[in-house]
Amino acid sequence: MKIRLQILFFLISSLLYSQHPTPKLIEGIKNKAVFYSSSVKNSWEREPIYIGNIQKEIINKFENNRLLAIENHYENECNKGYIKREKNSFKNTFEGKVDIFVDTSQNIKFSKVVYHEKSSNTFDFFYANPVVLTNNDSQDVQIGYGYYIPLIMQAQNEKGEWTDIERYYTLDCGTCLNMIYFKPNEITITTSVIYDGNYETKLRLRLGENNFSNIFTGKINRSQIE
């Protein structure tokens, strides 16, 4: 029976991988990291690690990660020589056909400024799963702005309802932000923090109201969905 289950798991994993060929993330961050535990909704600056064609391996770096990722994949109205696109030449973040896959088979590290209500903010490192977004549209799709990809984590409560356990990250300034985009069939890789808590449930990421990731199991604190 155990062997049959192992074979079934292998076949399911192989099928998922064939549908979502996730690159292997080579860990390049040496800082110590922890799993994230919270009783409130937090915001995450999900920055791109990589944008471009599918690669077999990608190094997860700390310094200049986002700068290397958006190279040749951003536009800024304040840049010299900027040419404004035609309105229908690309789709915005929530309109485009984007496939979202959370690869729970890989754990990587990422850094974040954690905002505390009653104490000073801290700069910490956390464990995360890679998230692969694929542009399945026939046009370029805006995937974010500044250095931020507006993905929101949702959890299923005891009634089976999906509820947001995160909130959108609010930028201090909206002037001359980069428009990050990726081309048809290109991928964008970012991170999804691994939560730790006392309540096991189903989780997923959403981009807008129509694009959702695969469903996976994780542990959060019950207060996050109450």
Side-chain angles (χ1 to χ4, degrees):
M1 181 68 178
K2 185 177 180 181
I3 295 176
R4 290 180 180 178
L5 288 174
Q6 289 175 339
I7 294 173
L8 180 61
F9 178 77
F10 174 78
L11 291 174
I12 292 173
S13 301
S14 298
L15 178 61
L16 286 173
Y17 181 81
S18 65
Q19 294 174 340
H20 301 88
T22 309
K24 179 181 178 181
L25 273 294
I26 300 174
E27 188 61 78
I29 298 176
K30 297 181 179 179
N31 301 69
K32 292 183 178 179
V34 297
F35 296 102
Y36 182 72
S37 179
S38 177
S39 58
V40 299
K41 291 182 179 180
N42 209 325
S43 61
W44 296 96
E45 305 96 320
R46 287 191 169 90
E47 300 175 348
I49 294 174
Y50 172 81
I51 302 177
N53 296 322
I54 295 175
Q55 304 287 333
K56 289 184 178 180
E57 295 181 343
I58 291 171
I59 298 176
N60 178 38
K61 297 179 180 179
F62 169 50
E63 295 181 354
N64 298 324
N65 224 13
R66 63 185 185 180
L67 296 175
L68 292 172
I70 69 170
E71 187 177 14
N72 301 321
H73 286 87
Y74 77 97
E75 294 179 1
N76 192 312
E77 294 184 12
C78 295
N79 286 353
K80 185 178 180 180
Y82 170 78
I83 300 176
K84 189 173 183 179
R85 286 180 178 235
E86 295 291 332
K87 186 177 181 180
N88 61 352
S89 66
F90 71 97
K91 293 186 178 179
N92 68 37
T93 309
F94 301 143
E95 292 177 338
K97 296 178 182 178
V98 178
D99 179 82
I100 309 166
F101 180 66
V102 182
D103 183 6
T104 57
S105 69
Q106 297 189 71
N107 285 7
I108 58 175
K109 300 175 185 177
F110 80 114
S111 59
K112 172 183 165 46
V113 177
V114 180
Y115 304 95
H116 303 281
E117 294 182 1
K118 298 181 180 180
S119 60
S120 300
N121 298 334
T122 55
F123 187 80
D124 303 323
F125 287 83
F126 298 99
Y127 289 113
N129 296 131
V131 181
V132 182
L133 302 100
T134 305
N135 183 357
N136 289 331
D137 213 291
S138 59
Q139 294 177 293
D140 291 356
V141 173
Q142 179 187 359
I143 198 63
Y145 45 86
Y147 297 108
Y148 170 60
I149 300 174
L151 287 163
I152 294 291
M153 180 74 78
Q154 290 189 313
Q156 205 171 52
N157 60 24
E158 293 178 340
K159 296 180 180 179
E161 301 167 331
W162 289 100
T163 180
D164 293 349
I165 62 171
E166 299 174 348
R167 54 186 171 81
Y168 284 114
Y169 174 64
T170 303
L171 294 167
D172 295 331
C173 176
T175 304
C176 290
L177 290 174
N178 296 325
M179 180 192 81
I180 309 172
Y181 67 91
F182 62 162
K183 301 173 183 178
N185 299 317
E186 285 189 333
I187 63 171
T188 297
I189 299 180
T190 186
T191 53
S192 177
V193 66
I194 300 176
Y195 283 93
D196 185 28
N198 55 21
Y199 180 65
E200 184 172 282
T201 187
K202 294 179 180 178
L203 304 172
R204 70 182 183 185
L205 289 174
R206 72 173 176 88
L207 184 69
E209 303 302 325
N210 300 312
N211 292 318
F212 298 96
S213 76
N214 55 308
I215 296 172
F216 57 100
T217 301
K219 290 184 177 181
I220 63 172
N221 285 316
R222 188 182 294 271
S223 58
Q224 290 178 269
I225 55 175
E226 291 177 347

